[in-house]
Structures are given as C-alpha cells and as structure tokens.
Amino acid sequence: MPGRRELNKEDKRRRIRDAAWSLFREHGFDATTTRAIAERAEIGVGTLFLYAPDKDALLFSLFRDELGDIVTKRFARVPERALLDQLLYVIRGFYERYAEDPALARRFVPLILRLEGDALASYAALNADFFARVGALVEAAKTRGEVRADVDGAVLGVNVLAIYAYFVLGWLLGPAPRVKDGLASLKPALASLLDGVRPVKAGVSAREGRRK
Amino acid sequence: MPGRRELNKEDKRRRIRDAAWSLFREHGFDATTTRAIAERAEIGVGTLFLYAPDKDALLFSLFRDELGDIVTKRFARVPERALLDQLLYVIRGFYERYAEDPALARRFVPLILRLEGDALASYAALNADFFARVGALVEAAKTRGEVRADVDGAVLGVNVLAIYAYFVLGWLLGPAPRVKDGLASLKPALASLLDGVRPVKAGVSAREGRRK
DNA sequence: GCTCAAATATGAGCGCAGTCGGTTTTCCAG
DNA sequence: CTGGAAAACCGACTGCGCTCATATTTGAGC
C-alpha cells in the first residue's frame, strides 16, 4: 500500500523522465544541462542525483525502460506466423524506437559496454527476459515442425540477439538510419541463422528446402 | 627536413604520451586530471588540448597507436604455420596488450562506437590495413592449398575481425581477463570460420576432413 | 643581425556535473 | 495530537574539462 512518500517519489520519477526526454530531444544530450532537467522537473539539482547516479545513467535508464516496454508489448502481440516473421515483428519495435531518436540512440548504445553493478544487473535481467521469450517462441515453432526438436531455445535466443546487435550497431552508426534499410539487411542474416535449425527433410538440405 | 619547430612538437607529443600512460596506469583514467598530465608533460593545460581535442580522444589515440604498432610488428614476424595459427599469433598481440591494462582497455573500447570525423577516419584506416594484411595471409594460404582459390581474402578479413571483436568484448567485460582464457574461447570460433573455406576433398566434408 | 608575421604556447577563467551539510517532509509510536 | 527519528530534498560549493585572449617562439626575407 503506497503512502504519500512513495507516491511523491513515483511522481518525481515521472517528471524527471518527461523533463529529460523532452530536453534531450530539443537540444541533444550534451547540450542539456542537469540543472535544466531539474528545473523542468521542478526539483533541486541535488534531488536529480538521488534518482540517477549520473547523467549517463539517466539516459541509459530512459532507453532501458522503453526497450523493456517494447519487449513486453511486442511479445504480447506476436503474429501467428513463421518464427522468422515473429522475431522480425519484435525487433522492428527496437528499430522503430531507435529511429525516433537516432542521435540519442547513438549516445545510448556505447553505454552498454560500460555497465557495472546494479545497472549491469538490470540490463542483464532485460536480456535474460528477452532470451526466455525468444525461447518460448522457439518451443512453439518446434510444435509446428518449423524447428528441430533438439534445438536449445535459450541458445538460439542468444544468437538472435548477437546478430541483431551486430546489425543494429552498423545501422545506427551509419548516416540517417531508416527502419526499412535496417530490417532489410538484418532479415537475410536471421533467415540464414534459422535455416540452420530447420528440420532436414529426406534428400533435401535445409537451405534447398527453404528455396522451394 | 624537420626544423626546430617540428622537433619541438614531436618531443611534446612524446612527453604527453608518456605522461598520459603513466598517470592513467597509476590512478586510472577518471582519477587522472588533464592538469596532471600537462604538468608531468611539462606543458600548459591549453597546450595539451592543441595535441588532443579532448581527454577521451587522448586515451583513444594512445591505444590506437599501440594497436597499430602491434599489427605492424606481429605481421612482420608471422610464423610459417597454418593460417589459423598465424591469425592467432597476431591476435594474441591484442589480447596481451589489453591484458596489460584491462581497466583502461574497458574504457577504450566503447570509444570506438562514438568515433566521428578524423578519429573515425584514422581508425578505419587501421582496420583497412588489418584487412589487407589478413588478405595477404589468406592468399599465401591459398598457394599452400589450405584455402579454396575462390575465397575473397578481404571478406575473410572482415569476418575474422568481427569474430575477434565479439570475443574480445565479452572477455574484456568479464572479471579479470586472462590472455589464456580469451584465446581458448576465440580459437574454436575462428577454426570453425576457417573450416568453411577449406578445399573440400572428394567424398569428405571440410569438417570431417579436419577431424582426421 | 634585424623585422615581423605566422605558428605555437600559456593559464586564468568559464560552465558544467556531481557532492554534502543543513533543512523540510513524512511517518508512526505513544 | 505530539515528539522525534528517518527519509527525502535542496542549492551553495568543489573540482574538473576545456576555451580563449594574450604572450612567446620561430624562421623567412632583407
């Protein structure tokens, strides 16, 4: 049962998030001062740093929360189609979000490589959730006969994320990333990964089977 | 013919490099102030920023130069053995260097994702040089019959770097990276990549051929 | 050797992120 | 309702990265 204290904190958290997103969008990450964020959120500077250990961590948590929401929402509405299409449906959510704020996204991604302690743990949890959900899709695909029964869903999840990460990185670092282009280059790579786990029909290799 | 002006600049560059490495090693990147670097290099703070656009760029250029040297030196002494061993000989140079300063290396790697302008160009040049040298090794391996004649050496170079990057990243982000562990996990991945380009002997697949 | 413009060097100063000792708000036991 | 402890908040302050107006050094032309 949340008391006044917890409600106030929740409200401040919301105001900080809104203030930070709007200012980062208006002026960019570097040109936005922590004072300006505090002012728009109607709190003192000192208070801001009670809610985020530093400015980088603030940006990181903004994106991490949204990516978490995207995972939840997209997996809840996964289309009843082939595994590849299901994966692309989820991943499209990431691409669309990044494309909304490409400059901020470019600032966000390198932060992942510098995570430590709690922030690392929270990101790892997000990743683990993603793996598990991909694993569930893979299991369902097995019952449909799209994937060999002996494939480990969790391992496949890791591979999917690795390939996604590699492509989204190249896409983000390039000039003016467009969702369409990003998905177009990712799709064949994922398709090739999934080809490797398709059940092999007698006398026909997985790759040839797909071409039919 | 270098005049006094050029000699002075070269000397300052050297002093800055030495001062920065020693201080970064002693106190870490964040705890080292630009004032301290300038003082140990016996120059003014303002002068330091004539030689590096900012503190991050300074760390970046230190590592980039050393990695460039490693590429040159290691490729000059590549052993006359199988392609995989040659690649691992070169890459071991990177692992050993990173292992010397793991904390600084962790700070360095994310900087690569934020490169722009001249710094990006200089890093791209380093990469291109690496690809070309790997390409030369691949060509030599072709004449020895280790690699199929139709394989594009440059493309293989890109793949080698991609796999290396993936593994070195995971290794660096883990606790207390040891050279032995890093190479042990990288080796099978590279071996698998090279298996894919081995000449196929009649009636024996590349992978089975390797197992003999 | 002297002159002077261009190149190079300098450190006081500025704006920022982040801290910390003091203040206010919240909660609950009595 | 009240006392007081704990939690939350605050903004003046600190120390840092980086700038820029000024000073110094260099070397070509004479």
Side-chain angles (χ1 to χ4, degrees):
Chain A
M1 192 102 304
R4 192 188 306 291
R5 198 170 265 171
E6 204 48 48
L7 288 174
N8 277 343
K9 278 174 73 172
E10 203 44 58
D11 189 51
K12 283 205 182 65
R13 241 185 283 274
R14 204 209 69 242
R15 269 148 49 203
I16 290 171
R17 206 184 53 225
D18 293 349
W21 268 127
S22 63
L23 284 167
F24 287 161
R25 283 215 185 86
E26 282 170 34
H27 309 117
F29 180 79
D30 292 321
T32 298
T33 66
T34 53
R35 286 159 154 74
I37 297 171
E39 196 175 347
R40 187 169 292 192
E42 298 180 294
I43 59 174
V45 232
T47 309
L48 179 62
F49 288 99
L50 292 175
Y51 287 79
D54 57 44
K55 202 182 165 191
D56 277 350
L58 179 57
L59 177 65
F60 178 78
S61 74
L62 291 179
F63 266 100
R64 185 208 51 212
D65 290 351
E66 297 227 350
L67 294 180
D69 288 350
I70 288 169
V71 167
T72 308
K73 283 181 187 154
R74 290 258 156 175
F75 270 103
R77 282 172 172 61
V78 154
E80 293 188 3
R81 301 180 59 194
L83 180 58
L84 175 60
D85 291 326
Q86 294 180 324
L87 292 175
L88 285 174
Y89 171 76
V90 174
I91 287 173
R92 172 185 282 275
F94 300 147
Y95 274 82
E96 286 176 354
R97 186 62 194 82
Y98 285 141
E100 275 182 49
D101 298 292
L104 292 177
R106 283 195 55 166
R107 261 300 208 154
F108 161 71
V109 171
L111 297 180
I112 301 172
L113 301 187
R114 295 191 49 199
L115 292 179
E116 287 176 3
D118 290 350
L120 177 59
S122 81
Y123 188 73
L126 198 71
N127 260 6
D129 178 53
F130 184 81
F131 295 154
R133 288 170 185 273
V134 170
L137 288 186
V138 171
E139 290 306 317
K142 279 183 190 173
T143 68
R144 298 196 304 271
E146 280 184 45
V147 172
R148 285 200 318 272
D150 63 300
V151 171
D152 182 332
V155 170
L156 194 56
V158 174
N159 285 342
V160 167
L161 196 79
I163 290 183
Y164 155 73
Y166 181 82
F167 278 87
V168 88
L169 211 71
W171 174 71
L172 263 182
L173 297 189
R178 295 186 313 151
V179 174
K180 201 172 188 178
D181 299 337
L183 290 174
S185 59
L186 174 66
K187 186 170 182 175
L190 279 184
S192 149
L193 177 72
L194 296 186
D195 268 350
V197 297
R198 286 167 63 86
V200 180
K201 281 164 194 158
V204 184
S205 82
R207 179 155 282 276
E208 281 161 357
R210 191 182 159 72
R211 287 225 184 98
K212 278 202 176 176
Chain B
M1 194 101 303
R4 192 188 307 292
R5 198 168 264 172
E6 204 48 46
L7 289 173
N8 277 343
K9 279 173 74 171
E10 204 44 58
D11 190 52
K12 282 204 183 66
R13 243 186 282 274
R14 203 208 70 243
R15 269 147 50 201
I16 290 171
R17 206 183 54 225
D18 294 349
W21 269 126
S22 63
L23 284 167
F24 287 161
R25 284 214 186 87
E26 283 168 33
H27 310 117
F29 181 78
D30 292 321
T32 298
T33 66
T34 53
R35 284 162 158 77
I37 297 170
E39 196 175 347
R40 188 169 291 193
E42 298 182 293
I43 59 174
V45 231
T47 309
L48 179 61
F49 289 97
L50 291 176
Y51 287 80
D54 57 44
K55 201 183 166 191
D56 277 350
L58 179 56
L59 178 65
F60 178 79
S61 74
L62 291 179
F63 266 101
R64 186 209 49 212
D65 289 351
E66 297 226 352
L67 294 180
D69 287 352
I70 289 169
V71 168
T72 307
K73 284 182 186 151
R74 290 258 155 173
F75 271 104
R77 283 173 171 60
V78 154
E80 292 189 3
R81 301 179 60 194
L83 179 58
L84 175 61
D85 292 325
Q86 294 180 326
L87 292 175
L88 285 174
Y89 172 76
V90 173
I91 288 174
R92 171 184 282 274
F94 299 148
Y95 274 82
E96 286 177 353
R97 186 64 193 80
Y98 285 140
E100 275 181 49
D101 298 292
L104 292 177
R106 283 197 57 166
R107 260 304 207 145
F108 161 72
V109 170
L111 298 180
I112 299 172
L113 301 187
R114 296 191 49 199
L115 292 178
E116 286 178 359
D118 290 351
L120 178 59
S122 80
Y123 187 73
L126 198 69
N127 261 5
D129 178 53
F130 184 80
F131 295 154
R133 287 170 185 272
V134 171
L137 288 186
V138 171
E139 290 306 315
K142 279 183 191 174
T143 68
R144 297 197 303 270
E146 281 184 45
V147 172
R148 285 201 317 273
D150 63 300
V151 170
D152 183 331
V155 170
L156 194 56
V158 173
N159 286 343
V160 167
L161 195 77
I163 292 183
Y164 154 73
Y166 181 82
F167 278 86
V168 89
L169 212 70
W171 174 71
L172 264 182
L173 297 189
R178 296 187 310 151
V179 173
K180 202 171 187 175
D181 299 338
L183 289 174
S185 59
L186 174 65
K187 187 170 183 175
L190 279 185
S192 146
L193 177 73
L194 295 186
D195 269 349
V197 296
R198 286 168 64 86
V200 181
K201 277 163 196 159
V204 184
S205 84
R207 176 155 283 276
E208 281 161 357
R210 194 186 155 69
R211 287 229 183 94
K212 279 204 175 174

